[in-house]
Amino acid sequence: NYEDVRCKCICPPYKDHSGHIYNKNVSQKDCDCLHVVEPMPVPGPDVEAYCLRCECKYEERSSVTIKVNNVI
């Protein structure tokens, strides 16, 4: 199920921008800062430095299992 996969990027504070967590449903190959962080909070010259600080992880989960466990 496409809803059961996501990419989660945790970006720490950078210059005058506070830290932020970004989630987006993308394929595993697109799980990186450039595909997930929208809108990009920094101007063009700072994008590479900002993205190098972000930690992006591809996650798969079963929403059916989560729903069943919440009922129990």
Side-chain angles (χ1 to χ4, degrees):
N1 188 343
Y2 193 64
E3 295 171 358
D4 290 340
V5 297
R6 70 177 179 179
C7 181
K8 180 178 183 180
C9 291
I10 301 172
C11 300
Y14 178 78
K15 294 189 177 179
D16 59 342
H17 300 281
S18 60
H20 196 77
I21 297 174
Y22 300 89
N23 291 302
K24 190 171 182 184
N25 290 336
V26 295
S27 66
Q28 190 169 7
K29 70 177 181 65
D30 289 335
C31 184
D32 58 42
C33 175
L34 293 175
H35 287 98
V36 177
V37 176
E38 290 180 358
M40 187 61 67
V42 297
D46 287 333
V47 168
E48 184 177 359
Y50 181 80
C51 282
L52 286 173
R53 299 169 57 89
C54 297
E55 182 180 339
C56 298
K57 290 184 179 177
Y58 185 74
E59 299 177 341
E60 293 184 55
R61 61 195 178 127
S62 172
S63 57
V64 172
T65 301
I66 293 167
K67 289 175 185 173
V68 170
N69 285 336
N70 285 336
V71 171
I72 298 175

